[in-house]
Amino acid sequence: MAIAKAERLMNLALCLMNTRRPISKRELRTSIEAYHEVTSDDAFNRMFERDKDDLRELGLVIDTVESLDGEYGYLARSDRNRLPDIALDPEEAAALSLAAKVWQQARLAEAASGALQKLRAAGVPFEDASSVLEPRVPAPEPAFEALMLATRERRAVAFDYRKANAARPEPRLVEPWALECWRGHWYLAGHDRDRDDVRVFRLSRISGRVRARGAALAPVPDHVDVREAVARWAGDGATAVTARIRLRRDSGYPLRARAVAATPVDADWDELEIPYGHGLDAWLAEFGPDVVVLAPEELRAEVVDRLRAVAKG
């Protein structure tokens, strides 16, 4: 079905771009073989309007011209659909060359290599010196490619996800916003429909196949800072908010190593400020009576709930 539609759109685009005069819908229906199978005029009109909108969304400029007898014709003028010449200075070319070398484990590697070959053929001055740097962004997770396509096409996805402290994965339905590589791990940020909230998912915890769901979505909201959301979830980086805890003296050295501020309280306790991210409640609970959470209140409540659950067995 997808191949048939792509072929139909290609044939329609070729007809509109290789004509010197506007072509009517009647002529297009006769010229394009895929339209021959549509027997109803209403069905053809709906299909043609959808195809025309799809081509315009892809960037093809289609003019609509009304003839003297009131019939509408369509054409895509070559002067309005010609890309300008590509002009890159050596620094810009070097940046593109480095970016193309990043993708080594995903299907993007072949596309990036092909793009560089086309740019070289167009005379872009790529320098061999850029090969001194060999950046790598590995993407070994099986879910990466499917999520990348869903993010680019703005389609919701369904997958099974295992949280850090869960024994079994749970089904999730997510509107994907972006993929982010943070401290060597890939994360998906998006809107979790079931929870009606922003969520971040570590790709290595996705199990099974990623399935696309539904039609194309609206654009990512302008107010969303995806990288900040990932940083806060992961509990790292300058953009993450912090939590205040009281830590017993001479204990909790892993917490002290991550503290951004530490102040002695008395002979037994210190007050620490640490990055606050997803999973911090489980980590703090491991220190038992050596840690008291002061703020934020939701983190304190989560740690208390975990300790009560442990006490109940």
Side-chain angles (χ1 to χ4, degrees):
M1 183 69 70
I3 295 176
K5 180 177 180 180
E7 183 178 352
R8 190 175 73 243
L9 291 177
M10 178 65 71
N11 289 333
L12 177 58
L14 290 174
C15 285
L16 295 175
M17 295 180 68
N18 290 279
T19 179
R20 296 182 179 179
R21 63 173 181 81
I23 306 179
S24 66
K25 285 196 294 186
R26 174 177 46 81
E27 292 174 305
L28 290 169
R29 186 177 184 181
T30 303
S31 303
I32 298 175
E33 184 177 358
Y35 290 148
H36 296 174
E37 303 172 1
V38 184
T39 57
S40 166
D41 290 342
D42 290 339
F44 163 72
N45 288 331
R46 290 194 299 270
M47 178 182 289
F48 174 75
E49 292 301 324
R50 286 197 302 268
D51 290 349
K52 184 156 55 69
D53 291 341
D54 287 343
L55 288 178
R56 282 173 170 162
E57 187 175 347
L58 290 171
L60 189 67
V61 180
I62 302 175
D63 293 330
T64 302
V65 181
E66 184 177 6
S67 64
L68 294 176
D69 57 4
E71 187 176 22
Y72 289 96
Y74 308 89
L75 78 161
R77 304 180 190 275
S78 59
D79 58 339
R80 300 188 63 189
N81 289 282
R82 183 183 298 115
L83 292 175
D85 293 335
I86 299 176
L88 300 176
D89 59 34
E91 289 77 12
E92 292 170 331
L96 280 180
S97 181
L98 287 175
K101 292 177 181 178
V102 166
W103 302 103
Q104 298 296 322
Q105 293 178 310
R107 197 164 60 183
L108 287 175
E110 183 178 351
S113 177
L116 287 186
Q117 291 179 5
K118 292 178 181 178
L119 289 172
R120 286 192 181 95
V124 175
F126 288 110
E127 296 289 343
D128 293 336
S130 63
S131 62
V132 174
L133 297 177
E134 292 291 339
R136 292 290 185 271
V137 179
E141 294 86 351
F144 176 84
E145 191 167 301
L147 291 175
M148 179 194 67
L149 293 174
T151 301
R152 186 176 64 188
E153 296 174 357
R154 300 292 304 122
R155 296 188 182 278
V157 289
F159 52 81
D160 293 330
Y161 186 76
R162 181 183 58 80
K163 294 190 293 186
N165 301 305
R168 297 179 181 177
E170 300 176 350
R172 298 295 183 100
L173 182 59
V174 179
E175 297 178 10
W177 289 342
L179 289 168
E180 283 283 343
C181 185
W182 186 267
R183 303 293 175 89
H185 300 286
W186 280 100
Y187 297 89
L188 170 71
H191 179 79
D192 190 319
R193 287 184 176 178
D194 295 329
R195 291 152 184 81
D196 193 24
D197 197 5
V198 178
R199 287 291 189 272
V200 176
F201 306 92
R202 184 164 164 172
L203 266 60
S204 61
R205 294 178 184 159
I206 295 177
S207 60
R209 189 170 61 90
V210 176
R211 289 95 57 195
R213 290 288 185 268
L217 304 168
V220 178
D222 293 335
H223 67 275
V224 174
D225 188 333
V226 173
R227 191 159 184 82
E228 181 178 357
V230 172
R232 179 172 180 175
W233 190 94
D236 292 314
T239 58
V241 297
T242 57
R244 286 192 305 112
I245 66 171
R246 189 162 289 184
L247 182 64
R248 197 181 302 275
R249 186 71 55 85
D250 297 326
S251 66
Y253 291 103
L255 292 172
R256 295 180 187 277
R258 295 188 60 187
V260 297
T263 305
V265 176
D266 52 34
D268 298 321
W269 295 91
D270 296 325
E271 187 171 309
L272 276 64
E273 190 173 344
I274 60 176
Y276 173 33
H278 181 81
L280 181 59
D281 59 324
W283 193 31
L284 293 178
E286 294 178 2
F287 294 92
D290 292 332
V291 167
V292 177
V293 178
L294 302 176
E297 187 59 36
E298 62 267 22
L299 176 61
R300 179 183 176 87
E302 290 169 354
V303 173
V304 170
D305 288 343
R306 285 185 175 277
L307 294 175
R308 285 175 177 168
V310 171
K312 291 179 180 178

